[in-house]
Each structure stands twice: as C-alpha cells, then as structure tokens.
Amino acid sequence: MENRADTPTTIEELERKNATLEQQNAELTAKLNWYQEQFKLAQQKRFGASSEKTHPDQVEMDLFNEAEVLATPALPEADMETVTYSRKKTTGAQEAKLEHFPVDTVTYELLESEPICACCGGALHNMSSETRNEITIVPAEVRVVRHVRQVYSCRRCEREEIRTPIVTAPMPRPVYPGSLASASIMAYVMSQKYVDSQPLYRQEQQFARLGLTISRQTLANWMVYGANHWLVHLVGRMQEHLLKQEVLHADETTLQVLREPGKSAETQSYMWLYRTGREGPPIVLFDYRPTRGGENPRDFLKGFAGYLHVDGYAGYHKVAGVTLVGCWAHARRKFNEALKAVPAGQDKTKTTAQQGLDFCNQLFAIERELKEKTPDERHSTRKAKSQPILEAYLSWLRQQRSRTLPKSLLGQAITYSLNQWDKLSAFLLDGRLEIDNNRSERSIKPFVIGRKNWLFANTPRGAKASSIIYSVIETAKENGLNPNKYLNYLFEQLPQLEDPKDSEALDRLLPWSVSLPLTCRVFTS
C-alpha cells in the first residue's frame, strides 16, 4: 500500500504535524470558550437580574401579583393603642403628609329634634368631635374656558362725531394662537408623554373617554409648537449656564427617527445628554443628533473648559480643552460580566475575574465613606487610600494581560481598564469629581424608559422637540419641581414676555429660580 502524500515520513515531520494540530486545538478551544461565554452572558442578560448589586430588602414580584405582595397584613396602616376602646393612633407624620393639600370638611350633626337625652329627656350639648381623614381623587375632566374681551368707546365722541377712541380690555396672549390649546392642556399632554411615558395615541383614547375628540396629530402639533416656539429659549439659556460650570457629565443613547433625510427608517440616530455635577444648579440637557460622531459633543460644549465625565467612547476626545474623567462602573461591569460567564460548578471566588472585581469594589467602598465629605476631604482621602489601590490594580492588570486571551470577556475587561487608564485615574485630580458616570446614566434613563413606550420619533423636527421637552422636564425634576405645574406656569408666562429671548426674564423662569411660585414645587414629608 502506498503512503498518502500528507502522511509524515520522518520524526521531524511528525513533530511538526503534532505541533500544528496542538495549535489548532488550542485555537478552537479558545473559540469554543468564547462562544460559551457569550451564550452564558446572553442567557444571564435575558433571564437574570439586570442589576449589578442586590439590596437585602429587595423583593422579587411579578407584574400581576404586585398588589398581593405589597398589601401584606404584616404592615398595618397605623398602630393601635388601648384606652377604654381601640382606636387608630394618628401620628404627626401622617398629618404632615396631608398638610399641603386642600381640605373639604364635611360635618355631621344631629337633627334639631334629635339632641335630647334618652335617659332624662334633657338637652344635649356638643361635648367633642371625632375626625377621620380620607384621601379623595378628582379625575381629569375637560372644561372650556371662553375668553371674552370687552371693547369700549366714548358715547360723547360718538354723538358729537369727534374722533372716537376705542379701548380694549387687556387679555393674556394665548400659548398657541388660532388653536384650542391652553397652557394647562399643553402641559398635561407633555407631562403624560415625557414624564409618565404615555404615547399620544393612548392620550387620544383617554380624551375620547372624556368626551373630547382630538387627534394624536393635533396633540403632536401642540408638542412641537410648544417646544420649538417657547421652551427652546429657556433651554438655550440653560445651556449658557451649563457651559459656565467646571464639572460636567455626558452620555448618549440611540433613537430611531423614521423620516430622516438621507437615512433609512432602520438607521439609528442619537440622543445626547449633558448635565452638571455635584456643584452648581442641577441642569440636565438633551440634544438630538443624526449621528454618534464626536463633533456633536464638541459643538454642543463649545466654550466649556473643565472636567467631563464620560464612558469609554472615543468620540469625546474631540472635545477640546477638557479633562476626560472615566467611569469605574463600566470597568467593574466588564469584570462582572466575565464572572457571570464562569461555567456552573466552578468556584467563582478564586477566579481572575473576581480579583479584578474586588479591586473595583474596594474603590467604591471608599467612595461610599466619602459621600458626605467636602471636596478637599474627598481629595485628600483618595490620595491616601484610593491611589495605592490604583497602583496595585495597574500592576495586576499588566501581569494578567499576557496570561489572558484578548477576545475573552476577561481579556476585554483587562484591556478596557488599561486603555482607559488615564481617564479612570483622573478622579484623583479633584475632590469634586466622581468615580463613575452614573449621574448621567440616571438622568438619561427616563428617556430610555419612554422610548420603550413610544418607540421612535417620526421626524427630525419631532425628535428635536422631544430633546427640548426632556431637557425642561428632567431639569425641573432635579430642582424639586412638579413638571406638570411648572410647564403650565411656563406656558402662561412665556407668551407674555415682550422678548422671549430676554436673558433676565428667562432667568426668572429657570427651574432653580427663587422667583418661581410655590405651586410649582413638589411637597415631600
């Protein structure tokens, strides 16, 4: 029998063949492990808890049995005390919760013929009273406000045929001339969509149940007009104040815009977020852009010089004159993902991924201790406690890089920290800085939640309007305002300004202005 051409004929050829097969086996094993990691991580993301931490008081509950879980008899509404009978004990906390609401008092008295003693027939006198409080809700209702403007003239001038002056009674300017929209309904529709994530088609149905036929197209027109005609000036003024700060945060997320020129409906656009840090007035601004290019934050932040908290996206490097501060939450998340992909049955506490996670957790533990400290105290403590951990962590990363497959989840976690090192260590520079970019992630979350309900924007004009409205609403919430009442106040006041771009007039309407009425504020006990 003749030998095949690829069959080794010498010891040297056999060794080379064996080495090649071993290398191929190692590569295939590494690829298989990578696919197993990806599959396990995908399963965890789909079916597991999304949070990276668990709270001891956290209770898992299903959407449909939430009432049964929360309405537990172990949590009584009020304590009982025994005197000569059992009664509910009214606490000061309960009274404080109700003190800022209007009160309608209903008094119950005996009829004139009834206050007679059943024992002796004598007259009864009012000895005391018993009181109970109930919370009632007034459902939404539709009313029509008819504005009647009186016009006056002089009868003497009319009789004597002299020049007759016409005097018209003053009347507030409407928020949307030629429309049925009032300040209240425009604020209500905006709040329903951008605070409570109610799409316009659902609001259309709600109004129909109230007897008002109004199309979602009309509601959309109101939103776009209110944003682009009035709120845009307020947001522009907020941006001017934002750029004067020394510490900012930035983030971005996707947005689908159906009718965007030059792009298919499936192409992703982006909503960018910029906000203030620990100091200064809380300002949260959204900015719609068709792309994720670094020129977007560069243009929006033109004139800003200071520290900018960001994630690992390289586009932020185009922002000139700033110091980029990285996010340790992203670095920790990558080790957490690598740990979740560890095969079942393996001791996770002894894995390299757990070691990397432990370094990150040590830093976060220090930050929790510094939460209420001054910037100077925070800066000095970080130098003393956090910097040694960073130095040890960097040495550990360099050791592990050569021992880990770059494409594995663990390899990606190590590479991320090494590539982002200058930004990750920047929080040591100033006590006003934060260890992560969670502040901006929390601020962009309402948009992400809302997007799940209304899914997409129809046009770039609508997307731009949404960014303006979200900017006003989220900044209002950050400043302790009731978004609905604040928007109502804005739509009453902005049309009355002689110049809607007047900086001083706009400053009096900003969410942190002391000139705002108390009715705009959220009352908490």
Side-chain angles (χ1 to χ4, degrees):
M1 181 180 294
E2 295 182 357
N3 292 335
R4 295 178 54 185
D6 58 348
T7 302
T9 58
T10 65
I11 297 297
E12 292 76 9
E13 291 179 354
L14 185 61
E15 291 177 347
R16 285 196 298 269
K17 181 73 172 180
N18 185 61
T20 301
L21 292 175
E22 287 181 351
Q23 182 179 355
Q24 291 177 350
N25 181 64
E27 292 175 353
L28 291 174
T29 301
K31 185 175 293 186
L32 177 62
N33 291 337
W34 183 83
Y35 280 119
Q36 287 178 335
E37 283 185 339
Q38 297 299 317
F39 175 76
K40 188 172 180 62
L41 181 60
Q43 291 292 95
Q44 197 282 330
K45 287 183 176 180
R46 183 178 180 184
F47 302 109
S50 59
S51 177
E52 297 171 22
K53 61 180 180 179
T54 56
H55 192 278
D57 297 331
Q58 183 177 355
V59 178
E60 293 185 4
M61 62 182 70
D62 186 78
L63 175 64
F64 300 103
N65 70 351
E66 180 181 12
E68 289 78 2
V69 172
L70 295 179
T72 169
L75 299 175
E77 290 188 7
D79 296 332
M80 304 295 290
E81 65 176 5
T82 302
V83 189
T84 56
Y85 55 90
S86 295
R87 67 181 181 186
K88 286 189 176 180
K89 183 178 178 181
T90 303
T91 63
Q94 284 181 318
E95 294 295 332
K97 290 179 181 179
L98 306 177
E99 63 182 6
H100 56 274
F101 291 107
V103 177
D104 295 325
T105 302
V106 181
T107 303
Y108 302 91
E109 298 178 336
L110 296 176
L111 298 176
E112 293 183 0
S113 60
E114 292 180 336
I116 298 175
C117 179
C119 178
C120 67
L124 300 177
H125 69 278
N126 191 343
M127 180 183 69
S128 63
S129 63
E130 296 179 355
T131 302
R132 82 167 189 263
N133 291 324
E134 294 179 346
I135 300 173
T136 62
I137 293 294
V138 179
E141 62 178 358
V142 177
R143 292 187 178 184
V144 176
V145 177
R146 181 172 289 114
H147 297 268
V148 180
R149 191 177 189 183
Q150 301 293 349
V151 181
Y152 302 85
S153 65
C154 175
R155 293 196 179 278
R156 178 185 175 187
C157 291
E158 291 175 350
R159 286 194 305 269
E160 298 180 5
E161 298 183 354
I162 309 175
R163 178 184 175 188
T164 304
I166 302 298
V167 179
T168 305
M171 182 173 64
R173 300 188 187 101
V175 66
Y176 195 166
S179 165
L180 290 174
S182 66
S184 63
I185 195 170
M186 191 173 285
Y188 178 80
V189 174
M190 280 187 181
S191 297
Q192 285 285 290
K193 177 173 180 179
Y194 296 99
V195 179
D196 298 324
S197 303
Q198 287 287 343
L200 294 182
Y201 79 89
R202 291 182 189 168
Q203 296 193 54
E204 178 186 34
Q205 296 168 352
Q206 290 174 352
F207 283 124
R209 290 192 290 271
L210 294 173
L212 175 64
T213 302
I214 188 167
S215 70
R216 71 194 72 173
Q217 289 78 16
T218 298
L219 299 179
N221 289 337
W222 291 357
M223 299 301 95
V224 173
Y225 184 90
N228 294 335
H229 197 80
W230 298 119
L231 300 183
V232 64
H233 305 301
L234 197 71
V235 171
R237 185 59 179 158
M238 287 195 290
Q239 183 179 358
E240 293 175 5
H241 285 280
L242 179 95
L243 297 179
K244 295 177 182 178
Q245 304 301 312
E246 296 181 0
V247 179
L248 296 181
H249 294 248
D251 200 2
E252 77 286 338
T253 189
T254 57
L255 168 67
Q256 187 178 2
V257 181
L258 298 184
R259 301 177 183 176
E260 201 161 31
K263 298 175 65 175
S264 64
E266 296 80 14
T267 306
Q268 295 290 358
S269 298
Y270 286 85
M271 188 70 79
W272 295 77
L273 176 133
Y274 309 92
R275 63 151 303 146
T276 51
R278 298 177 188 268
E279 300 182 349
I283 306 173
V284 181
L285 299 183
F286 289 79
D287 184 45
Y288 154 73
R289 295 293 171 181
T291 68
R292 200 191 181 196
E295 66 277 1
N296 296 314
R298 178 197 65 194
D299 296 342
F300 190 92
L301 297 174
K302 185 178 180 180
F304 168 70
Y307 297 100
L308 181 62
H309 287 82
V310 296
D311 54 22
Y313 176 49
Y316 291 108
H317 287 281
K318 288 190 177 181
V319 184
V322 302
T323 300
L324 298 180
V325 184
C327 178
W328 277 93
H330 279 75
R332 181 175 63 177
R333 186 173 303 142
K334 292 186 177 298
F335 284 109
N336 190 57
E337 291 176 350
L339 195 62
K340 290 177 179 178
V342 171
Q346 183 176 341
D347 187 359
K348 296 184 178 182
T349 60
K350 297 180 180 180
T351 61
T352 306
Q354 183 63 56
Q355 294 175 14
L357 192 62
D358 289 341
F359 277 110
C360 299
N361 287 338
Q362 290 179 56
L363 294 173
F364 278 95
I366 295 173
E367 291 302 310
R368 286 192 292 271
E369 297 174 359
L370 301 177
K371 186 176 181 180
E372 304 299 329
K373 301 296 183 180
T374 65
D376 290 339
E377 292 172 333
R378 196 177 295 115
H379 180 256
S380 61
T381 303
R382 285 172 175 171
K383 284 291 185 181
K385 294 184 177 181
S386 300
Q387 188 165 356
I389 297 175
L390 285 178
E391 294 172 353
Y393 179 55
L394 180 59
S395 177
W396 178 85
L397 287 171
R398 290 170 175 168
Q399 290 176 357
Q400 297 301 324
R401 177 167 53 181
S402 60
R403 306 174 184 174
T404 309
L405 292 174
K407 291 186 178 180
S408 66
L409 290 176
L410 178 59
Q412 293 176 29
I414 292 172
T415 302
Y416 179 88
S417 288
L418 287 171
N419 291 344
Q420 299 287 319
W421 190 253
D422 289 341
K423 288 187 283 188
L424 288 176
S425 57
F427 78 101
L428 297 176
L429 298 175
D430 195 307
R432 297 171 297 174
L433 303 179
E434 300 178 42
I435 195 173
D436 54 42
N437 196 29
N438 287 349
R439 189 178 293 269
S440 65
E441 292 190 4
R442 288 192 299 268
S443 296
I444 209 170
K445 189 174 182 179
F447 171 81
V448 175
I449 294 175
R451 184 182 58 196
K452 292 180 180 179
N453 288 272
W454 43 262
L455 300 179
F456 52 80
N458 197 35
T459 64
R461 189 165 175 256
K464 180 66 176 177
S466 293
S467 69
I468 293 171
I469 298 171
Y470 267 114
S471 298
V472 173
I473 285 177
E474 293 306 314
T475 303
K477 289 162 60 177
E478 286 280 324
N479 285 271
L481 302 183
N482 180 308
N484 181 38
K485 293 181 179 179
Y486 178 58
L487 285 171
N488 191 7
Y489 179 72
L490 290 179
F491 288 133
E492 289 175 347
Q493 299 300 317
L494 286 170
Q496 315 313 319
L497 299 181
E498 296 299 329
D499 180 9
K501 298 181 181 180
D502 181 13
S503 297
E504 293 185 4
L506 291 174
D507 283 347
R508 291 192 291 269
L509 299 176
L510 291 173
W512 58 89
S513 171
V514 295
S515 302
L516 296 178
L518 290 177
T519 53
C520 292
R521 305 202 173 276
V522 175
F523 295 94
T524 57
S525 57

